[in-house]
Amino acid sequence: MIFVTGGAGFIGANFVLDWLAQSDEPVLTYDKLTYAGNLNNLASLRNDARHIFVQGDINDGELFAALLSKHQPRAILHFAAESHVDRSIHGPAAFIATNINGTFSLLEATRAYWQTLDASQQAAFRFLHVSTDEVYGTLGAEDPPFSESTAYAPNSPYSASKAASDHLVRAYHHTYGLPVLTTNCSNNYGPYHFPEKLIPLIIANARAGKDLPVYGDGLQVRDWLYVSDHCAAIRRVLEAGRPGASYNVGGWNEKTNLSVVHTLCDLLNELQPKSGGSYRDQIRHISDRPGHDRRYAIDARKIERELGWKPAETFETGLRKTVAWYLANDAWVQQVQSGEYQQWVDLQYKNKEQA
Ligand code: NAD
Ligand code: DAU
């Protein structure tokens, strides 16, 4: 079997669902269920004997070690993290605790377990660390995209904590021989994306008749990848990646934030027109994110050359699927917007200056 940490979050849940749609190899999902974790994402697996869910913190090395010893997985896929840049600006402590200390605890428990395996099991074992392109910092308009040899230069508490975790993972390979793999992916979008992030936030606010907040001039650039393409890349790296290597994963889809928001408004105008006017009328430029990275872009040639992976979706097909999913899953949106969500929205957006 495989273990998936953070499997109740956005990408982790998509990964678990895709995995079990394509394979009968069992999965143990290990997740703390923070505000971002949601068992409803895995509701379709409730009575599926191939799936086990355990609520736990990656800092709980004892619990994780007991699960390793009981289930003897052949691989661990590590998605669990605090993942939102804006939250890391308001409160970095949770990012250090989970992304750095938590990854360290996980590596320690994994190393101890791995050392109990026989030589052939040790050789076949994999620890796959899911990371981000944000570790590379920011690009100017004319710079070449990030490659695997671009120097790390993280700019936010979130990206600094992810960079630290990448370094720990690398060190466990170099020092102990643990067969690790790291993926550094660009911005994902798709089903089950928590509406604190740009794309699901814009869809939810547009439908609710609220402002569509664009930070600063909105000309910051992100490189968007549909989540199932990211999941396919991770499966391929797990299957054939070279232990110790890292792989950049991206969609070759550089877009300014403003153009993403415009496209979303136009899709909503088409699929769920509002009476009188366009959703574009709700756009508001507000004050910028402190330290905002201007541009991300991924050079994904290594994973294509070595492992034959490339994205299946274009931005147009992926975004249309995403908007359709949100329109069909109102109950999910209502559920994740209850509870803590409103406090976050007030903290981040209330009384924000117009840019
Ligand atoms: P998410 O915030 O939607 O989900 C994170 C999950 O981790 C949640 O289910 C949460 O409950 C769980 N978690 C958090 N702290 C935990 C802890 N201490 N112990 C156990 N579980 C814990 O995040 P996501 O967007 O799905 O991102 C998943 C991973 O992919 C992260 O490592 C992130 O850095 C990376 N990544 C994300 C993107 C993106 O665009 N979202 C792009 C590249 C890489
Ligand atoms: O690049 C990969 C990263 O992408 C992941 O590592 C992170 O986990 C993930 O959250 C994402 O980070 P970003 O900061 O790029 O994503 P976010 O959706 O928060 O913002 C996308 C862009 O949109 C960014 O330039 C900020 C801007 N933005 C965001 C929000 C929430 C706005 O203009 N308005 C908003 O309200």
Side-chain angles (χ1 to χ4, degrees):
M1 68 154 26
I2 61 165
F3 278 20
V4 173
T5 74
F10 162 47
I11 306 174
N14 276 283
F15 181 85
V16 171
L17 294 170
D18 285 3
W19 180 273
L20 290 173
Q22 301 186 18
S23 144
D24 281 332
E25 185 175 10
V27 177
L28 184 146
T29 297
Y30 185 83
D31 196 296
K32 184 179 175 181
L33 297 182
T34 66
Y35 78 93
N38 184 354
L39 274 185
N40 285 338
N41 299 355
L42 300 172
S44 60
L45 302 176
R46 211 159 271 151
N47 297 313
D48 193 322
R50 300 169 303 164
H51 185 244
I52 300 169
F53 176 76
V54 177
Q55 183 169 7
D57 191 321
I58 53 170
N59 280 293
D60 188 346
E62 227 171 280
L63 172 57
F64 200 76
L67 291 167
L68 289 173
S69 152
K70 179 172 174 194
H71 295 285
Q72 302 277 306
R74 70 165 177 102
I76 296 167
L77 293 107
H78 177 33
F79 294 80
E82 288 292 337
S83 70
H84 191 30
V85 174
D86 292 322
R87 286 189 193 249
S88 84
I89 295 166
H90 287 284
F95 290 72
I96 307 307
T98 286
N99 300 357
I100 304 181
N101 295 336
T103 301
F104 169 65
S105 293
L106 215 54
L107 285 166
E108 275 295 88
T110 303
R111 177 168 75 93
Y113 161 70
W114 179 72
Q115 282 168 344
T116 67
L117 301 177
D118 67 31
S120 69
Q121 289 170 324
Q122 279 195 352
F125 183 82
R126 296 289 182 268
F127 181 97
L128 191 152
H129 176 57
V130 179
S131 193
T132 170
D133 60 356
E134 298 199 15
V135 297
Y136 300 119
T138 187
L139 293 169
E142 304 303 325
D143 290 337
F146 302 130
S147 77
E148 289 78 0
S149 57
T150 302
Y152 275 33
N155 287 321
S156 72
Y158 163 70
S159 54
S161 67
K162 290 296 289 187
S165 67
D166 291 12
H167 293 324
L168 283 169
V169 168
R170 179 181 192 278
Y172 271 62
H173 177 70
H174 191 78
T175 305
Y176 304 112
L178 191 70
V180 305
L181 297 156
T182 297
T183 53
N184 293 92
C185 189
S186 61
N187 287 62
N188 284 214
Y189 66 99
Y192 305 110
H193 204 181
F194 194 81
E196 64 187 356
K197 308 283 172 64
L198 181 70
I199 288 180
L201 179 88
I202 294 298
I203 299 171
N205 280 15
R207 298 185 68 209
K210 296 182 178 160
D211 287 354
L212 308 183
V214 172
Y215 299 161
D217 62 8
L219 299 181
Q220 307 84 0
V221 170
R222 297 292 182 266
D223 179 351
W224 294 95
L225 181 70
Y226 191 62
V227 63
S228 64
D229 277 327
H230 187 190
C231 295
I234 291 170
R235 289 196 302 274
R236 186 68 192 128
V237 170
L238 177 66
E239 181 176 59
R242 279 181 293 110
S246 66
Y247 296 90
N248 282 359
V249 184
W252 304 102
N253 267 317
E254 286 187 59
K255 307 278 177 202
T256 65
N257 293 336
L258 202 53
S259 77
V260 169
V261 174
H262 284 157
T263 308
L264 285 169
C265 290
D266 296 347
L267 274 168
L268 285 166
N269 285 335
E270 176 194 330
L271 298 172
Q272 196 178 76
K274 66 174 191 176
S275 52
S278 158
Y279 289 102
R280 287 191 186 209
D281 303 337
Q282 292 167 232
I283 294 173
R284 299 282 175 274
H285 288 262
I286 61 171
S287 52
D288 210 348
R289 173 186 278 176
H292 201 169
D293 285 337
R294 194 68 180 166
R295 174 177 167 237
Y296 303 144
I298 277 276
D299 177 344
R301 283 177 298 178
K302 176 179 174 183
I303 189 172
E304 180 171 356
R305 189 176 61 245
E306 290 191 11
L307 305 180
W309 174 88
K310 49 181 185 182
E313 299 288 344
T314 64
F315 192 59
E316 288 64 34
T317 59
L319 208 59
R320 186 170 281 275
K321 281 187 187 177
T322 303
V323 172
W325 188 88
Y326 279 91
L327 292 178
N329 287 277
D330 230 2
W332 183 91
V333 177
Q334 301 301 327
Q335 186 251 326
V336 299
Q337 287 186 324
S338 61
E340 188 268 358
Y341 182 77
Q342 198 48 50
Q343 288 161 29
W344 165 252
V345 170
D346 289 347
L347 178 68
Q348 175 65 6
Y349 297 101
K350 218 172 171 178
N351 306 323
K352 269 272 160 88
E353 278 169 41
Q354 296 267 326

Coordinates of all heavy atoms in Angstrom, one line a residue, residues 170-249:
R170 N 16.3 16.4 0.8 CA 17.5 16.2 0.0 C 18.6 15.6 0.9 O 19.3 14.7 0.6 CB 17.9 17.5 -0.5 CG 19.2 17.5 -1.3 CD 19.6 18.9 -1.9 NE 20.6 18.8 -2.8 CZ 21.9 18.7 -2.6 NH1 22.3 18.7 -1.3 NH2 22.8 18.6 -3.5
A171 N 18.7 16.2 2.1 CA 19.8 15.7 3.1 C 19.6 14.3 3.5 O 20.5 13.5 3.7 CB 19.8 16.7 4.3
Y172 N 18.3 13.9 3.6 CA 18.1 12.5 4.1 C 18.5 11.5 3.0 O 18.8 10.3 3.3 CB 16.6 12.3 4.5 CG 16.4 12.6 6.0 CD1 16.7 13.9 6.5 CD2 16.1 11.6 6.9 CE1 16.6 14.2 7.8 CE2 16.0 11.9 8.2 CZ 16.2 13.2 8.7 OH 16.1 13.4 10.0
H173 N 18.4 11.9 1.7 CA 19.0 11.1 0.7 C 20.5 11.1 0.7 O 21.1 10.0 0.7 CB 18.5 11.6 -0.7 CG 19.0 10.8 -1.8 ND1 18.6 9.5 -2.1 CD2 20.0 11.1 -2.8 CE1 19.3 9.1 -3.1 NE2 20.1 10.0 -3.6
H174 N 21.0 12.2 0.8 CA 22.5 12.4 0.7 C 23.2 11.7 1.9 O 24.2 11.0 1.7 CB 22.8 13.8 0.7 CG 24.3 14.1 0.3 ND1 24.7 14.1 -1.0 CD2 25.3 14.4 1.1 CE1 26.0 14.3 -1.0 NE2 26.4 14.6 0.3
T175 N 22.6 11.9 3.1 CA 23.2 11.3 4.3 C 22.9 9.9 4.6 O 23.8 9.1 4.9 CB 22.8 12.2 5.5 OG1 23.2 13.6 5.2 CG2 23.6 11.8 6.8
Y176 N 21.6 9.6 4.5 CA 21.2 8.2 4.9 C 20.8 7.3 3.8 O 20.5 6.1 4.0 CB 19.9 8.3 5.8 CG 20.1 9.2 7.0 CD1 19.4 10.4 7.1 CD2 21.0 8.9 8.1 CE1 19.6 11.3 8.2 CE2 21.1 9.7 9.2 CZ 20.4 10.9 9.2 OH 20.6 11.7 10.3
G177 N 20.8 7.8 2.6 CA 20.5 7.0 1.4 C 19.0 6.7 1.2 O 18.5 5.9 0.4
L178 N 18.1 7.5 2.0 CA 16.7 7.3 1.9 C 16.3 7.6 0.4 O 16.6 8.7 -0.1 CB 16.0 8.3 2.9 CG 14.5 8.0 3.0 CD1 14.2 6.7 3.8 CD2 13.8 9.2 3.8
P179 N 15.5 6.7 -0.2 CA 15.2 7.0 -1.6 C 14.0 8.0 -1.8 O 12.9 7.7 -1.8 CB 14.7 5.6 -2.2 CG 14.9 4.6 -1.1 CD 15.0 5.4 0.2
V180 N 14.4 9.3 -1.9 CA 13.5 10.4 -1.9 C 13.3 10.9 -3.3 O 14.2 10.7 -4.2 CB 13.9 11.5 -1.0 CG1 14.2 11.1 0.4 CG2 15.1 12.2 -1.6
L181 N 12.2 11.5 -3.6 CA 11.9 12.2 -4.8 C 11.2 13.5 -4.5 O 10.4 13.5 -3.5 CB 10.9 11.4 -5.7 CG 11.4 10.0 -6.1 CD1 10.2 9.1 -6.4 CD2 12.3 10.1 -7.3
T182 N 11.5 14.6 -5.2 CA 10.9 15.9 -4.9 C 10.3 16.4 -6.2 O 10.9 16.3 -7.2 CB 11.9 16.9 -4.3 OG1 12.4 16.4 -3.1 CG2 11.2 18.2 -4.1
T183 N 9.0 16.9 -6.1 CA 8.4 17.6 -7.2 C 8.2 19.0 -6.8 O 7.8 19.3 -5.7 CB 7.1 16.9 -7.6 OG1 6.2 16.9 -6.5 CG2 7.3 15.5 -8.2
N184 N 8.5 19.9 -7.7 CA 8.2 21.4 -7.5 C 7.3 21.8 -8.6 O 7.6 22.0 -9.8 CB 9.6 22.2 -7.6 CG 10.5 21.8 -6.5 OD1 11.3 20.9 -6.6 ND2 10.4 22.5 -5.4
C185 N 6.0 22.1 -8.2 CA 5.0 22.3 -9.1 C 4.5 23.8 -9.1 O 4.6 24.5 -8.1 CB 3.8 21.4 -8.8 SG 2.5 21.4 -10.1
S186 N 3.9 24.2 -10.2 CA 3.4 25.6 -10.3 C 1.9 25.6 -9.7 O 1.5 24.6 -9.2 CB 3.4 26.0 -11.8 OG 2.6 25.1 -12.5
N187 N 1.2 26.7 -9.9 CA -0.1 26.8 -9.4 C -1.1 25.8 -9.9 O -1.3 25.8 -11.1 CB -0.7 28.2 -9.7 CG 0.0 29.3 -8.9 OD1 1.2 29.5 -9.0 ND2 -0.8 30.0 -8.1
N188 N -1.8 25.1 -9.0 CA -2.8 24.2 -9.4 C -4.2 24.8 -9.4 O -4.4 25.8 -8.6 CB -2.9 23.0 -8.5 CG -1.7 22.0 -8.7 OD1 -1.9 20.8 -8.5 ND2 -0.5 22.4 -9.0
Y189 N -5.1 24.2 -10.1 CA -6.5 24.6 -10.0 C -7.4 23.4 -10.3 O -6.9 22.5 -11.0 CB -6.9 25.9 -10.9 CG -6.8 25.6 -12.3 CD1 -7.9 25.3 -13.1 CD2 -5.5 25.5 -12.9 CE1 -7.8 25.0 -14.4 CE2 -5.4 25.1 -14.3 CZ -6.5 24.9 -15.0 OH -6.4 24.6 -16.3
G190 N -8.7 23.4 -9.9 CA -9.5 22.3 -10.2 C -10.5 22.1 -9.1 O -10.6 22.9 -8.1
P191 N -11.2 20.9 -9.1 CA -12.2 20.6 -8.0 C -11.6 20.5 -6.6 O -10.4 20.2 -6.5 CB -12.7 19.2 -8.4 CG -12.4 19.0 -9.9 CD -11.2 19.9 -10.2
Y192 N -12.4 20.8 -5.6 CA -12.0 20.7 -4.2 C -10.9 21.8 -3.8 O -10.3 21.6 -2.8 CB -11.5 19.3 -3.8 CG -12.4 18.2 -4.1 CD1 -12.2 17.3 -5.1 CD2 -13.6 18.1 -3.4 CE1 -13.0 16.3 -5.4 CE2 -14.5 17.0 -3.7 CZ -14.2 16.1 -4.7 OH -15.1 15.1 -5.0
H193 N -10.8 22.8 -4.6 CA -9.8 23.9 -4.3 C -10.4 24.8 -3.3 O -11.5 25.4 -3.5 CB -9.5 24.6 -5.6 CG -8.1 25.3 -5.6 ND1 -7.7 26.1 -6.6 CD2 -7.1 25.4 -4.7 CE1 -6.5 26.5 -6.4 NE2 -6.2 26.2 -5.2
F194 N -9.8 25.0 -2.2 CA -10.4 25.8 -1.1 C -10.5 27.3 -1.5 O -9.5 27.9 -2.0 CB -9.5 25.7 0.2 CG -10.1 26.1 1.4 CD1 -11.0 25.3 2.1 CD2 -9.9 27.4 1.9 CE1 -11.6 25.7 3.3 CE2 -10.5 27.8 3.1 CZ -11.3 27.0 3.8
P195 N -11.7 27.9 -1.2 CA -11.9 29.2 -1.8 C -11.2 30.4 -1.0 O -11.8 31.5 -1.0 CB -13.4 29.3 -1.7 CG -13.9 28.4 -0.7 CD -12.9 27.3 -0.6
E196 N -10.0 30.1 -0.5 CA -9.2 31.2 -0.1 C -8.2 31.5 -1.2 O -7.5 32.6 -1.2 CB -8.4 30.8 1.2 CG -7.4 29.6 0.9 CD -6.7 29.1 2.1 OE1 -6.9 29.6 3.2 OE2 -6.0 28.0 2.0
K197 N -8.0 30.6 -2.2 CA -7.1 30.8 -3.3 C -7.8 31.5 -4.5 O -9.0 31.4 -4.6 CB -6.5 29.4 -3.7 CG -5.9 28.6 -2.6 CD -4.6 29.0 -2.1 CE -4.1 28.3 -0.9 NZ -3.8 26.9 -1.0
L198 N -7.0 32.1 -5.3 CA -7.5 33.0 -6.3 C -8.7 32.4 -7.1 O -9.8 33.0 -7.1 CB -6.5 33.5 -7.3 CG -7.0 34.5 -8.4 CD1 -7.3 35.8 -7.7 CD2 -6.0 34.6 -9.5
I199 N -8.5 31.3 -7.8 CA -9.6 30.8 -8.7 C -10.9 30.5 -8.0 O -11.9 31.0 -8.4 CB -9.0 29.7 -9.7 CG1 -8.0 30.4 -10.7 CG2 -10.1 28.9 -10.4 CD1 -7.4 29.4 -11.7
P200 N -10.8 29.6 -7.0 CA -12.1 29.3 -6.4 C -12.7 30.5 -5.6 O -14.0 30.6 -5.5 CB -11.8 28.2 -5.4 CG -10.3 28.3 -5.2 CD -9.7 28.8 -6.5
L201 N -11.9 31.4 -5.1 CA -12.4 32.6 -4.5 C -13.2 33.5 -5.4 O -14.3 34.0 -5.1 CB -11.3 33.4 -3.9 CG -11.7 34.7 -3.1 CD1 -12.0 34.4 -1.7 CD2 -10.6 35.8 -3.2
I202 N -12.6 33.7 -6.6 CA -13.3 34.5 -7.6 C -14.6 33.9 -8.1 O -15.6 34.6 -8.2 CB -12.3 34.7 -8.9 CG1 -11.1 35.5 -8.5 CG2 -13.1 35.4 -10.0 CD1 -11.4 36.9 -7.9
I203 N -14.6 32.6 -8.3 CA -15.9 31.9 -8.7 C -16.9 32.1 -7.6 O -18.1 32.5 -7.8 CB -15.6 30.4 -9.0 CG1 -14.7 30.2 -10.1 CG2 -17.0 29.7 -9.3 CD1 -14.2 28.8 -10.3
A204 N -16.5 31.8 -6.3 CA -17.5 31.9 -5.2 C -18.0 33.3 -5.0 O -19.2 33.6 -4.9 CB -16.9 31.4 -3.9
N205 N -17.1 34.3 -5.0 CA -17.5 35.7 -4.8 C -18.4 36.2 -5.9 O -19.3 36.9 -5.7 CB -16.3 36.6 -4.7 CG -15.7 36.5 -3.3 OD1 -16.0 35.6 -2.5 ND2 -14.8 37.5 -2.9
A206 N -18.0 35.8 -7.2 CA -18.8 36.3 -8.3 C -20.2 35.8 -8.2 O -21.2 36.6 -8.3 CB -18.2 35.7 -9.6
R207 N -20.4 34.6 -7.8 CA -21.8 34.0 -7.7 C -22.5 34.6 -6.6 O -23.7 34.7 -6.6 CB -21.7 32.5 -7.6 CG -21.0 31.9 -8.8 CD -21.1 30.4 -8.7 NE -22.4 29.9 -8.8 CZ -22.9 28.8 -8.2 NH1 -22.0 28.1 -7.5 NH2 -24.1 28.4 -8.4
A208 N -21.8 35.0 -5.5 CA -22.5 35.6 -4.4 C -22.7 37.1 -4.5 O -23.1 37.8 -3.6 CB -21.6 35.3 -3.1
G209 N -22.3 37.7 -5.7 CA -22.5 39.1 -5.9 C -21.5 40.0 -5.1 O -21.7 41.2 -4.9
K210 N -20.4 39.4 -4.7 CA -19.4 40.1 -3.9 C -18.3 40.7 -4.8 O -18.1 40.3 -5.9 CB -18.8 39.2 -2.8 CG -19.8 38.7 -1.8 CD -19.1 37.8 -0.8 CE -20.1 37.4 0.3 NZ -19.7 36.2 1.0
D211 N -17.4 41.5 -4.1 CA -16.3 42.1 -4.9 C -15.3 40.9 -5.3 O -15.2 39.9 -4.6 CB -15.5 43.0 -4.0 CG -16.2 44.3 -3.7 OD1 -17.2 44.5 -4.4 OD2 -15.7 45.1 -2.9
L212 N -14.7 41.1 -6.4 CA -13.6 40.2 -6.9 C -12.3 40.9 -6.6 O -11.9 41.7 -7.4 CB -13.8 39.9 -8.4 CG -15.2 39.4 -8.8 CD1 -15.3 39.1 -10.2 CD2 -15.7 38.2 -7.9
P213 N -11.6 40.5 -5.5 CA -10.4 41.2 -5.1 C -9.2 40.9 -5.9 O -8.7 39.7 -6.0 CB -10.2 40.8 -3.6 CG -10.9 39.5 -3.6 CD -11.9 39.4 -4.6
V214 N -8.6 41.9 -6.6 CA -7.3 41.7 -7.3 C -6.2 42.5 -6.6 O -6.4 43.7 -6.4 CB -7.5 42.2 -8.8 CG1 -6.2 42.2 -9.5 CG2 -8.6 41.3 -9.5
Y215 N -5.2 41.8 -6.2 CA -4.1 42.5 -5.5 C -3.3 43.4 -6.5 O -2.8 43.0 -7.5 CB -3.1 41.5 -4.9 CG -3.7 40.6 -3.9 CD1 -3.0 39.4 -3.5 CD2 -4.9 40.8 -3.2 CE1 -3.5 38.5 -2.6 CE2 -5.4 40.0 -2.3 CZ -4.7 38.8 -2.0 OH -5.2 37.9 -1.0
G216 N -3.1 44.7 -6.1 CA -2.3 45.6 -6.8 C -2.8 45.8 -8.3 O -4.0 45.8 -8.5
D217 N -1.9 45.8 -9.2 CA -2.3 46.0 -10.6 C -2.8 44.7 -11.3 O -3.3 44.8 -12.4 CB -1.1 46.6 -11.4 CG 0.1 45.7 -11.5 OD1 0.0 44.6 -11.1 OD2 1.2 46.2 -12.0
G218 N -2.7 43.6 -10.6 CA -3.2 42.3 -11.2 C -2.3 41.8 -12.4 O -2.7 40.9 -13.0
L219 N -1.2 42.4 -12.5 CA -0.3 41.9 -13.7 C 0.7 40.9 -13.2 O 1.7 40.6 -14.0 CB 0.3 43.2 -14.4 CG -0.7 44.1 -14.9 CD1 0.0 45.3 -15.6 CD2 -1.7 43.4 -15.9
Q220 N 0.6 40.4 -12.0 CA 1.5 39.3 -11.6 C 1.2 38.1 -12.4 O 0.0 37.9 -12.8 CB 1.3 39.0 -10.1 CG 1.4 40.2 -9.2 CD 0.1 41.0 -9.0 OE1 -0.9 40.7 -9.6 NE2 0.1 42.1 -8.3
V221 N 2.2 37.3 -12.7 CA 2.0 36.1 -13.6 C 2.2 34.8 -12.8 O 3.1 34.7 -12.0 CB 3.1 36.2 -14.7 CG1 3.1 34.9 -15.5 CG2 2.8 37.4 -15.6
R222 N 1.3 33.9 -13.0 CA 1.4 32.5 -12.5 C 1.2 31.5 -13.7 O 0.7 31.9 -14.7 CB 0.2 32.3 -11.5 CG 0.3 33.2 -10.2 CD 1.5 32.8 -9.4 NE 1.6 33.6 -8.2 CZ 2.4 34.7 -8.0 NH1 2.9 35.2 -9.1 NH2 2.5 35.3 -6.8
D223 N 1.8 30.3 -13.4 CA 1.8 29.3 -14.5 C 0.9 28.2 -14.0 O 1.2 27.4 -13.1 CB 3.3 28.8 -14.6 CG 3.5 27.7 -15.6 OD1 2.5 27.2 -16.1 OD2 4.7 27.4 -15.8
W224 N -0.3 28.1 -14.6 CA -1.4 27.3 -14.1 C -1.4 25.9 -14.6 O -1.2 25.7 -15.8 CB -2.8 28.0 -14.4 CG -2.9 29.3 -13.6 CD1 -2.6 30.5 -14.1 CD2 -3.3 29.5 -12.3 NE1 -2.8 31.5 -13.1 CE2 -3.2 30.9 -12.0 CE3 -3.7 28.6 -11.2 CZ2 -3.6 31.4 -10.7 CZ3 -4.0 29.1 -10.0 CH2 -4.0 30.5 -9.8
L225 N -1.7 24.9 -13.7 CA -1.8 23.5 -14.1 C -3.0 22.9 -13.5 O -3.3 23.0 -12.3 CB -0.5 22.8 -13.6 CG -0.4 21.3 -13.9 CD1 -0.2 21.1 -15.4 CD2 0.6 20.6 -13.1
Y226 N -3.8 22.2 -14.3 CA -5.0 21.5 -13.9 C -4.6 20.4 -12.9 O -3.6 19.6 -13.2 CB -5.8 21.0 -15.0 CG -7.2 20.5 -14.7 CD1 -8.1 21.4 -14.2 CD2 -7.5 19.2 -14.8 CE1 -9.4 20.9 -13.8 CE2 -8.8 18.7 -14.5 CZ -9.7 19.6 -14.0 OH -11.0 19.2 -13.6
V227 N -5.3 20.3 -11.8 CA -4.8 19.4 -10.7 C -4.6 17.9 -11.1 O -3.7 17.3 -10.7 CB -5.7 19.5 -9.5 CG1 -7.2 19.1 -9.8 CG2 -5.2 18.8 -8.3
S228 N -5.5 17.4 -12.0 CA -5.3 16.0 -12.4 C -4.0 15.8 -13.2 O -3.4 14.7 -13.2 CB -6.5 15.5 -13.2 OG -6.6 16.2 -14.4
D229 N -3.5 16.8 -13.9 CA -2.2 16.7 -14.5 C -1.1 16.7 -13.5 O -0.1 15.9 -13.7 CB -2.0 17.9 -15.5 CG -2.7 17.7 -16.8 OD1 -2.8 16.6 -17.3 OD2 -3.2 18.7 -17.4
H230 N -1.2 17.4 -12.4 CA -0.2 17.4 -11.4 C -0.2 15.9 -10.8 O 0.8 15.3 -10.5 CB -0.5 18.4 -10.3 CG 0.5 18.5 -9.2 ND1 0.3 19.3 -8.1 CD2 1.8 18.0 -9.1 CE1 1.4 19.2 -7.3 NE2 2.3 18.4 -7.9
C231 N -1.4 15.4 -10.5 CA -1.5 14.1 -9.9 C -0.9 13.0 -10.9 O -0.2 12.1 -10.4 CB -3.0 13.7 -9.7 SG -3.7 14.8 -8.4
A232 N -1.1 13.2 -12.2 CA -0.5 12.2 -13.1 C 1.1 12.4 -13.1 O 1.8 11.4 -13.2 CB -1.0 12.5 -14.5
A233 N 1.5 13.6 -12.9 CA 3.0 13.8 -12.9 C 3.6 13.1 -11.6 O 4.6 12.5 -11.7 CB 3.3 15.3 -12.9
I234 N 2.9 13.2 -10.5 CA 3.4 12.6 -9.3 C 3.4 11.1 -9.4 O 4.3 10.4 -9.0 CB 2.5 13.1 -8.1 CG1 2.8 14.6 -7.8 CG2 2.8 12.3 -6.8 CD1 1.8 15.2 -6.8
R235 N 2.3 10.5 -10.0 CA 2.3 9.1 -10.2 C 3.5 8.6 -11.1 O 4.1 7.6 -10.8 CB 1.0 8.6 -10.9 CG -0.2 8.7 -10.0 CD -1.4 7.9 -10.5 NE -1.8 8.3 -11.9 CZ -2.6 9.3 -12.1 NH1 -3.2 10.0 -11.1 NH2 -3.0 9.6 -13.4
R236 N 3.8 9.4 -12.1 CA 4.9 9.1 -13.0 C 6.2 9.2 -12.3 O 7.1 8.3 -12.5 CB 4.8 10.0 -14.2 CG 5.7 9.7 -15.3 CD 5.4 8.4 -16.0 NE 6.5 8.0 -16.9 CZ 7.1 6.8 -16.8 NH1 6.7 5.8 -16.0 NH2 8.2 6.5 -17.6
V237 N 6.4 10.2 -11.5 CA 7.7 10.4 -10.8 C 7.8 9.2 -9.8 O 8.9 8.7 -9.6 CB 7.7 11.8 -10.1 CG1 8.9 11.9 -9.1 CG2 7.8 12.9 -11.1
L238 N 6.7 8.9 -9.1 CA 6.8 7.7 -8.1 C 7.2 6.5 -8.9 O 8.0 5.7 -8.4 CB 5.4 7.6 -7.5 CG 5.3 6.4 -6.5 CD1 6.2 6.6 -5.3 CD2 3.8 6.2 -6.1
E239 N 6.7 6.3 -10.1 CA 6.9 5.1 -10.8 C 8.3 5.0 -11.4 O 9.0 3.9 -11.3 CB 5.9 5.0 -12.0 CG 5.9 3.9 -12.9 CD 4.8 4.0 -13.9 OE1 4.7 5.0 -14.7 OE2 3.9 3.2 -13.9
A240 N 8.8 6.1 -11.9 CA 10.1 6.0 -12.7 C 11.1 7.1 -12.3 O 12.2 7.1 -13.0 CB 9.7 6.1 -14.2
G241 N 10.8 8.0 -11.4 CA 11.8 9.0 -11.0 C 13.1 8.4 -10.4 O 13.0 7.4 -9.8
R242 N 14.1 9.1 -10.6 CA 15.4 8.7 -10.0 C 15.5 9.1 -8.6 O 15.4 10.3 -8.3 CB 16.6 9.3 -10.8 CG 16.9 8.6 -12.1 CD 18.1 9.3 -12.8 NE 17.8 10.7 -13.3 CZ 18.3 11.8 -12.8 NH1 19.2 11.7 -11.7 NH2 18.0 12.9 -13.2
P243 N 15.8 8.2 -7.6 CA 15.9 8.6 -6.2 C 16.9 9.7 -6.1 O 18.0 9.6 -6.7 CB 16.3 7.3 -5.5 CG 15.8 6.2 -6.4 CD 15.8 6.7 -7.8
G244 N 16.6 10.7 -5.3 CA 17.4 11.8 -5.1 C 17.2 13.0 -6.0 O 17.6 14.1 -5.8
A245 N 16.4 12.7 -7.1 CA 16.2 13.8 -8.1 C 15.0 14.6 -7.7 O 14.1 14.2 -7.0 CB 16.0 13.1 -9.5
S246 N 15.0 15.8 -8.3 CA 13.8 16.7 -8.2 C 13.3 16.9 -9.6 O 14.1 17.0 -10.6 CB 14.0 17.9 -7.4 OG 14.9 18.8 -8.2
Y247 N 12.0 17.1 -9.8 CA 11.3 17.4 -11.1 C 10.4 18.6 -11.0 O 9.6 18.7 -10.1 CB 10.5 16.1 -11.5 CG 11.4 14.9 -11.7 CD1 11.6 14.0 -10.6 CD2 11.9 14.6 -12.9 CE1 12.4 12.9 -10.8 CE2 12.8 13.5 -13.1 CZ 13.0 12.7 -12.0 OH 13.8 11.6 -12.2
N248 N 10.6 19.5 -11.9 CA 9.7 20.7 -12.0 C 8.5 20.3 -12.8 O 8.6 19.6 -13.8 CB 10.4 21.8 -12.7 CG 11.3 22.6 -11.7 OD1 11.4 22.3 -10.6 ND2 12.0 23.6 -12.2
V249 N 7.3 20.7 -12.3 CA 6.0 20.3 -13.0 C 5.3 21.6 -13.2 O 5.0 22.4 -12.3 CB 5.2 19.4 -12.0 CG1 3.9 18.9 -12.7 CG2 6.0 18.2 -11.5

